[in-house]
Amino acid sequence: MTQESELVSKRLGLPRQSVEATILLLEDGATVPFISRYRKELTGSLDEVAVRAIESNLAQVRQLMARKDFIREAIEAVGAMTSDIAAQIERAETTTELEDIYAPYKPKRRTRATVAKEKGLEPLARIIMAGNTSDCISSARRFVGKNDVKDEKDALAGASDIIAEWASESIRMRNITRNSYRRNAVLVSKVVKTKEAELMSTPFAQYGDFRQTVRRMPSHQYLAMRRAEREGLVKVKYDLGNSSEELDQALCNAFIPRHATDQCADVIEKAVLDASARLLRPSVENEISAELKDEADRVAIDLFAQNLRQLLLAAPLKGFRVLAIDPGYRTGCKIVALDKQGNLLDDAVIYPVPPRLDIAGSQRIVESFVEKYNLDVVAIGNGTASRETERFIKDSHIVEPSKVFVVSEDGASVYSASDIARQEFPDKDVTVRGAVSIGRRLIDPLAELVKIDAKSIGVGQYQHDVDQNRLKDSLDYTVMSCVNTVGVDVNTASEKLLSYISGIGPALASNIVDYRYENGDFTSRASLKKVPRLGDKAYELAAGFLRVPGGREPLDNTAIHPESYSIVSAIAKRLNVRPGDLHANGPLLDSIDVESLVAAGIGGKQTIDDIIAELRKPGRDPRTDDNSNAFVPAVDSFEELRVGQTLPGLVNNITAFGAFVDLGIKENGLLHISQLSHKRVAAVSDVLHIGQQIMVKVIDIDTPRRRISLSMKDV
């Protein structure tokens, strides 16, 4: 525990005491949201990002410790352990350092060096490495005729193979090679000659003749280049250029003993050059490729998680009854009426677009839905026939254009065919379920999107190229973080939404829903303890994130944890008011003397500060309300675009190289990172967020490939 916390603290630059406290809480079963929200006094007010980093790094450190134990045992098993090696293992802080230590003792497949050792040529290799003999051929002659050694040349070749392996296992030699590659290597991709035409029709055309230094390789370009290679379109190699000879010279200088005779030096030099070409360079290239891939994965996964967080925390459009439309051509547009809670009221099919183009009939049905169910806003899926359907709705003047929203339907088909959708609507087909999902995304994006596999939501880049386990872990955590940031109404939340609450999980979520169905709404947080298998620990971890609006205890509809209700009572008593008088009472809350409360032992400063902040806006939804205005596009088709046009757009995806912008037509425009500002922008996410409405200028139109380049400069 001590060594673990020390390493984690060093890696993250966080106070050792805070790290140790966090690790103890994690080991006790506490979740990241719970620790960062309700255990600030113990952790020194570490935020959720820091607590999550400790959790992740702790897992890595424990893997490192386990590998250390394995390597110790393996080296001891072959009788090679020394105090120096043991100290090296103890000091190692990375897997790379450990594997370098282990390399000479690792079980090997049958190599040229092992064959030479079997022939008994290791003593000859040691004689040459000692550098004392002036006649290597005479030294080699002593081994001829033994163990199938044919002649002096055969003996020297075998000894050279052994020396080459020693060189490749040398930590110093590996570090020299690594440093050279990291400073000087260039990644080069060239088109496969038979694939030139095919490459040009793909998004990877630029990698047909591409060069970039290892030091400056952008993560998205690395992933793209490697995908092009996997698809057989290009070949990728490392090029050291003029530094190649410098590397070999440095390796020879490092490995050849200074006192070696000319003959010994000559044999060793050839062995080192062989080790460089056959062993060291390929090994280091694989290592650097793994590092580049690991970093590219990290960047892509972080960006995916950031985009997902923005989608999940998009402002809900609560208090409105919705007409939701899943557009389509031949099969028509499925429409559904939803109440303010997203409950399905009715459904129908209209045909306002080709081939039927039944404008009058479609308008009558829509008008009847709007009137009968008193619908306020319209949500239209952004898939096939979306823009034509949007035009029909706006031209019909049934609702104001500002109340027509185009909603991403990425993943709606996944939801509509899922077990969750079948349980919610067992008697409805997939088209109705899809339309309901589109409408609910407008009412409450978080509550609806948690039902869908995050990878199907349509944000991020190269998601199929990154480590899938890391991606799943990151996205699952992001969903859990968002759900707990917002909190959920325990009486209306779906089973899926509840499963992401701290301390709950799928089994308890199912029990909560079953209990709610059998016994009616919960009237207090405390009544959750009646749910089967929801014990004290689960209640402690979950209670602060569950809301009970309109219950017996007003604090049950806030983010104040039940364990702190006594603090609220103590504050009220000191002010000679009732606890309920504190709610949203700014002047009264401003009069609270936090320091005196802390001094009196009533509570910790961070906890009291959080309680006061929550009482200022009890039951508040932390999601900002920026959904009040629908996006109104200025063009209806690709053909209307002209270079130089300034248009409104809606950011619908952010990548490392730019943002994709919805212009109101089928094709998205690309706003490259270089076109965000006249000043250098480090990351697209520093300037834009998903769902943001922006003004852009069309700077290029590629009609054959229907690609649009955009800029925010001078707009």
Side-chain angles (χ1 to χ4, degrees):
M1 170 65 176
T2 303
Q3 190 176 9
E4 288 176 351
S5 61
E6 183 179 351
L7 265 176
V8 172
S9 174
K10 187 175 181 179
R11 285 185 175 198
L12 298 176
L14 293 173
R16 172 82 170 272
Q17 185 176 353
S18 297
V19 171
E20 285 186 347
T22 302
I23 291 174
L24 285 171
L25 288 165
L26 289 168
E27 289 184 334
D28 191 42
T31 63
V32 172
F34 177 80
I35 294 170
S36 59
R37 182 68 178 81
Y38 297 113
R39 291 295 178 264
K40 291 180 179 179
E41 275 81 18
L42 291 177
T43 68
S45 292
L46 292 182
D47 62 17
E48 188 174 345
V49 174
V51 176
R52 169 66 169 170
I54 291 171
E55 182 184 51
S56 300
N57 275 267
L58 178 62
Q60 295 169 13
V61 165
R62 285 180 171 169
Q63 288 178 350
L64 183 72
M65 297 299 185
R67 186 62 178 167
K68 282 186 178 185
D69 291 340
F70 173 83
I71 289 174
R72 282 193 196 95
E73 293 173 5
I75 295 176
E76 287 170 355
V78 296
M81 180 61 76
T82 65
S83 59
D84 183 53
I85 293 173
Q88 288 181 49
I89 293 172
E90 186 66 23
R91 287 194 303 269
E93 295 184 1
T94 67
T95 302
T96 299
E97 291 177 75
L98 271 182
E99 297 307 324
D100 280 353
I101 296 166
Y102 184 38
Y105 314 102
K106 185 182 294 186
K108 299 177 180 64
R109 57 183 176 81
R110 191 173 173 78
T111 64
R112 283 162 45 175
T114 55
V115 171
K117 289 177 181 178
E118 289 169 2
K119 289 182 176 182
L121 293 172
E122 190 167 4
L124 176 58
R126 296 192 183 281
I127 290 170
I128 295 170
M129 278 303 300
N132 297 324
T133 180
S134 59
D135 189 351
C136 292
I137 293 177
S138 296
S139 298
R141 191 173 294 129
R142 293 158 42 193
F143 296 87
V144 174
K146 302 175 183 177
N147 301 317
D148 297 325
V149 178
K150 299 175 184 177
D151 50 30
E152 292 88 345
K153 184 178 179 181
D154 187 28
L156 285 173
S160 293
D161 288 338
I162 295 171
I163 293 171
E165 186 170 90
W166 287 342
S168 73
E169 293 172 346
S170 162
I171 294 176
R172 186 181 181 191
M173 300 286 273
R174 293 185 69 82
N175 282 334
I176 290 171
T177 308
R178 282 190 191 107
N179 292 336
S180 178
Y181 268 81
R182 286 171 179 155
R183 284 195 309 267
N184 308 309
V186 175
L187 268 171
V188 180
S189 65
K190 293 286 186 182
V191 63
V192 175
K193 289 184 178 180
T194 59
K195 300 285 188 175
E196 290 179 353
E198 184 179 344
L199 177 68
M200 293 308 296
S201 64
T202 71
F204 311 115
Q206 73 179 94
Y207 300 103
D209 186 13
F210 178 82
R211 296 176 64 85
Q212 182 58 272
T213 62
V214 166
R215 286 186 299 171
R216 297 182 179 177
M217 173 62 70
S219 60
H220 65 277
Q221 287 190 329
Y222 185 77
L223 291 174
M225 183 177 64
R226 287 304 190 186
R227 180 181 309 170
E229 183 182 40
R230 283 199 309 276
E231 294 181 4
L233 300 172
V234 302
K235 287 189 177 295
V236 179
K237 68 175 183 179
Y238 286 87
D239 181 13
L240 282 174
N242 296 332
S243 301
S244 183
E245 292 182 8
E246 294 176 8
L247 169 60
D248 284 340
Q249 188 60 54
L251 292 172
C252 289
N253 292 342
F255 204 69
I256 299 173
R258 292 185 179 180
H259 62 272
T261 64
D262 290 345
Q263 281 201 20
C264 288
D266 185 55
V267 174
I268 297 170
E269 179 180 4
K270 290 177 181 177
V272 169
L273 295 178
D274 174 48
S276 175
R278 183 170 56 87
L279 301 170
L280 280 167
R281 294 188 188 214
S283 175
V284 167
E285 286 176 7
N286 287 339
E287 188 179 296
I288 289 178
S289 292
E291 290 174 357
L292 287 171
K293 176 63 164 57
D294 185 70
E295 176 62 12
D297 281 5
R298 184 194 65 77
V299 171
I301 290 170
D302 286 352
L303 188 57
F304 198 145
Q306 186 178 31
N307 288 348
L308 178 62
R309 180 177 293 275
Q310 290 176 9
L311 275 181
L312 294 177
L313 294 182
L317 200 65
K318 293 184 176 180
F320 293 92
R321 299 165 75 89
V322 178
L323 174 70
I325 307 177
D326 186 359
Y329 288 115
R330 184 181 55 82
T331 57
C333 302
K334 181 64 69 173
I335 69 171
V336 298
L338 304 177
D339 67 14
K340 294 177 182 179
Q341 286 73 43
N343 297 312
L344 177 62
L345 304 174
D346 202 352
D347 66 271
V349 181
I350 58 175
Y351 298 88
V353 298
R356 293 200 191 183
L357 207 60
D358 180 14
I359 301 295
S362 299
Q363 188 165 334
R364 282 195 301 271
I365 294 173
V366 171
E367 285 177 339
S368 68
F369 264 52
V370 171
E371 183 177 349
K372 181 178 180 180
Y373 300 109
N374 195 24
L375 304 179
D376 304 300
V377 296
V378 179
I380 303 172
N382 68 343
T384 303
S386 173
R387 293 310 172 190
E388 295 91 333
T389 305
E390 180 189 6
R391 181 55 51 201
F392 155 72
I393 290 293
K394 288 181 177 178
D395 288 347
S396 70
H397 302 293
I398 299 171
V399 296
E400 296 176 14
S402 62
K403 294 183 178 179
V404 179
F405 296 83
V406 177
V407 179
S408 170
E409 60 181 55
D410 285 328
S413 60
V414 175
Y415 161 77
S416 62
S418 68
D419 290 339
I420 295 174
R422 283 192 289 271
Q423 290 170 7
E424 286 190 296
F425 305 104
D427 301 325
K428 299 295 182 181
D429 65 23
V430 292
T431 60
V432 174
R433 298 171 190 162
V436 171
S437 181
I438 290 168
R440 285 178 171 177
R441 292 184 191 197
L442 189 63
I443 295 171
D444 191 340
L446 178 61
E448 192 61 23
L449 290 174
V450 295
K451 302 174 186 175
I452 303 167
D453 179 2
K455 289 191 291 184
S456 302
I457 293 177
V459 292
Q461 63 184 60
Y462 301 109
Q463 64 191 63
H464 301 295
D465 297 288
V466 302
D467 184 298
Q468 295 300 295
N469 289 331
R470 283 175 63 185
L471 177 63
K472 183 180 185 304
D473 177 66
S474 177
L475 298 186
D476 284 350
Y477 170 76
T478 300
V479 176
M480 180 187 74
S481 171
C482 290
V483 170
N484 287 280
T485 294
V486 174
V488 304
D489 182 340
V490 72
N491 288 320
T492 61
S494 68
E495 182 178 322
K496 187 68 174 179
L497 190 61
L498 285 167
S499 71
Y500 284 105
I501 287 293
S502 167
I504 298 296
L508 280 180
S510 177
N511 290 354
I512 290 171
V513 172
D514 290 345
Y515 184 90
R516 190 173 69 195
Y517 178 78
E518 294 170 4
N519 299 279
D521 286 353
F522 292 95
T523 57
S524 68
R525 279 171 168 166
S527 60
L528 281 161
K529 295 180 179 180
K530 298 177 182 178
V531 173
R533 298 179 61 189
L534 201 157
D536 291 341
K537 188 64 178 180
Y539 179 77
E540 177 191 31
L541 297 177
F545 305 104
L546 296 172
R547 309 283 186 266
V548 187
R552 296 192 301 265
E553 170 57 73
L555 293 176
D556 283 351
N557 193 35
T558 70
I560 299 171
H561 198 283
E563 67 188 12
S564 296
Y565 288 0
S566 60
I567 297 178
V568 178
S569 297
I571 292 172
K573 185 176 181 180
R574 283 204 161 204
L575 297 174
N576 294 315
V577 298
R578 294 172 301 176
D581 295 334
L582 295 171
H583 290 246
N585 191 328
L588 200 56
L589 294 170
D590 290 339
S591 70
I592 296 173
D593 185 347
V594 176
E595 298 300 332
S596 69
L597 292 171
V598 174
I602 291 173
K605 183 180 185 304
Q606 296 95 329
T607 297
I608 295 173
D609 285 342
D610 284 348
I611 288 172
I612 294 172
E614 185 64 24
L615 288 172
R616 290 187 187 279
K617 295 181 180 180
R620 75 191 188 283
D621 190 326
R623 294 171 287 182
T624 56
D625 187 8
D626 57 5
N627 246 1
S628 56
N629 295 309
F631 167 55
V632 181
V635 290
D636 293 322
S637 68
F638 182 88
E639 287 68 29
E640 290 183 38
L641 295 174
R642 298 289 182 272
V643 172
Q645 271 181 308
T646 299
L647 305 168
L650 191 71
V651 178
N652 62 11
N653 194 11
I654 291 176
T655 69
F657 55 85
F660 288 96
V661 181
D662 181 357
L663 300 173
I665 59 178
K666 180 180 179 181
E667 297 81 5
N668 287 326
L670 173 61
L671 179 58
H672 193 269
I673 188 172
S674 63
Q675 294 297 323
L676 291 176
S677 171
H678 287 292
K679 297 179 181 179
R680 185 180 179 276
V681 175
V684 182
S685 56
D686 291 341
V687 179
L688 302 175
H689 61 82
I690 288 181
Q692 183 176 348
Q693 294 192 32
I694 58 175
M695 294 299 295
V696 292
K697 181 187 290 185
V698 179
I699 58 173
D700 187 56
I701 302 171
D702 183 346
T703 301
R705 294 193 291 178
R706 299 183 77 81
R707 292 185 178 177
I708 310 158
S709 297
L710 305 171
S711 176
M712 285 178 62
K713 296 178 179 178
D714 304 317
V715 174

